Amino acid sequence: MTNPPLAYDVVIVGGGITGLAAAWSLQQLEPAPRYSVLEAGPRWGGKILTETVSGPDESPFIVEGGPDSFITQKPWALQLARTLGMEDQLLPTNEAQRRVYVLHRGRPVPLPEGVMLIVPTAFMPFIRSRLLTLPGKLRMGLDWFIPAKTDGEDETLADFINRRLGSEALDKIAEPLLAGIYNAEADRQSLLATFPRFRALEERHGSLIRGMLAGRRARASAPPPAGNGQRPPSAFISFRGGMGELVEALTARLSGDMHLNTSVAALSRSETGYRLQLEDGRSVTASAIVLAVPAYVAGHLLGSIASGAVARLRSIRYVSTGTVSLAFPRKTLRRPLDGFGVVIPRSERRQINAITCTSTKFDHRAPDSHVLLRVFFGGSRTPETMGLSDRELLAVVRRELESIVGISDEPTLQRIYRWAEANPQYDVGHLGLVSDIETALPDGVFVAGSPYRGIGIPDCVHQAEQAVERVSRYLVTRPEAVVPSGRSADLTAASARAR
């Protein structure tokens, strides 16, 4: 006799930060719905991956395979960490050493002090900088006088920067700094989906420079937070033991049915909502589903029940990226970087995209006797490097480090992380595409995560919270599903055996 499928109010497909944050948000509802999280891989956290490696003394290396921090200007990840009781584990960046270099004619040149994102807000450091030519600096200054675009239409990041600040600003500052965040091509990247703040500044102040100056004055004169309000300790935050601590804290607090190594093969409709057919032959039913997976995976799963959304989901481009982390004895560095790292313009024609000095950016990342560097490769900038073997890749990275920062010694530690088809691309018109996808989804199916409305950890947490709000509204219209006695425990036990 075949056992009936397990029944839940909500099934979350995907155990990255979006899926875990969605599970946490479900638990905060009153009453909390019965839920399960299904993750195809062997661990939780998605692209959040921290490795702790023993060092030459009692201090370890904390190596990040994915994101090393999150931005605090978007408050949702910081709020989640504080809600989880992680205040004592928060680790700010070393603001005193917050210098960024730009590779210019083969040598790292400091980004001028007072440049906020891409906009100069301090006159003399900008004028003295060797990064731009005098005509390039004058062209950036014309932003003060260029009329604002007010039609509300999307445009590429490249078109926006060229229009307001000129081609040198695009090449030397905006492309490596801003497009680099998204591993994107500036001439395809949607401004409204990635940096809407720039359009808002243009529309409100008529100029990026005027807008940034006004924002700086407002922050300087703002009163301290009232009551228990807390200002973030820095613009970017991590944790003493690495970003993996956020995943550990979340999973420790989740009370739903959590299943690793559990792939969903197909979705179909059922009498109570939806049936999820698992790769191992089991099945699960749910009144509502949250798909916290890559867009192409969501498109595959929805093939038989949401044809209007499938083509749109599959049209979201992805690129593959990777990082190489290398540790060197501090005494061997001939040209140590006094800053967070080096961004590399496309025009420099290098085989790597950027270098972060991890042990400078954050404390507790390496023994005092060592420097820990992180090199970025792949994406739209250097896609050919993704096809290199580990040995070939390490040779390329070592050559680039020797050329750029003068490091030729053997590393004490080396780690390579590759993320295949893991970075969604927000091309022009992306927000309209996402709206069309959401409209085409059947009732009770919701999507959230990096393919849609922001790639950062705070964006993913916020999308998870918003998805759960929609799930909650939807569930009140559904009859309550009943989990057959003992069956939830059966799946938990089977999943534990698989782990």
Side-chain angles (χ1 to χ4, degrees), residues 238-291:
S238 186
F239 301 92
R240 286 181 62 91
M243 290 301 301
E245 290 191 336
L246 178 61
V247 175
E248 293 169 3
L250 260 178
T251 54
R253 300 281 293 278
L254 295 179
S255 59
D257 287 346
M258 310 286 290
H259 308 291
L260 295 171
N261 301 305
T262 306
S263 297
V264 179
L267 296 179
S268 59
R269 295 187 183 274
S270 72
E271 292 181 359
T272 58
Y274 297 95
R275 180 186 298 268
L276 297 88
Q277 188 65 42
L278 307 184
E279 292 281 3
D280 62 9
R282 295 174 295 163
S283 62
V284 173
T285 64
S287 297
I289 297 172
V290 177
L291 296 176

Side-chain angles (χ1 to χ4, degrees), residues 19-100:
L20 297 177
W24 174 253
S25 293
L26 283 173
Q27 286 185 193
Q28 312 314 305
L29 299 177
E30 291 290 346
R34 289 162 293 186
Y35 73 86
S36 179
V37 183
L38 309 180
E39 166 55 43
R43 63 175 187 82
W44 303 111
K47 291 193 287 291
I48 298 178
L49 172 60
T50 302
E51 187 176 357
T52 302
V53 183
S54 298
D57 52 34
E58 294 183 359
S59 300
F61 294 99
I62 305 295
V63 185
E64 299 285 16
D68 68 355
S69 59
F70 58 85
I71 192 169
T72 58
Q73 185 182 35
K74 298 179 178 182
W76 306 290
L78 183 58
Q79 289 171 353
L80 174 62
R82 286 172 168 162
T83 300
L84 292 169
M86 302 184 70
E87 186 75 37
D88 292 342
Q89 296 159 261
L90 296 176
L91 180 68
T93 54
N94 289 314
E95 293 298 289
Q97 294 176 284
R98 193 182 176 185
R99 174 173 286 186
V100 175

Side-chain angles (χ1 to χ4, degrees), residues 444-468:
V445 176
F446 307 90
V447 295
S450 64
Y452 308 109
R453 299 184 183 275
I455 64 169
I457 292 174
D459 299 303
C460 291
V461 171
H462 187 45
Q463 290 179 75
E465 294 168 347
Q466 292 176 314
V468 168

Side-chain angles (χ1 to χ4, degrees), residues 287-302:
S287 297
I289 297 172
V290 177
L291 296 176
V293 292
Y296 52 85
V297 175
H300 169 73
L301 294 177
L302 292 171

Side-chain angles (χ1 to χ4, degrees), residues 26 99 137 141 151 154 181 192 197 248 273 310 334 405 415 428 467 475 491 494:
L26 283 173
R99 174 173 286 186
K137 295 171 184 177
D151 60 8
D154 200 2
I181 293 172
L192 294 185
R197 180 187 177 193
E248 293 169 3
V310 170
R334 294 192 296 275
V405 292
R415 291 291 188 275
V428 167
L475 287 178
L491 181 58

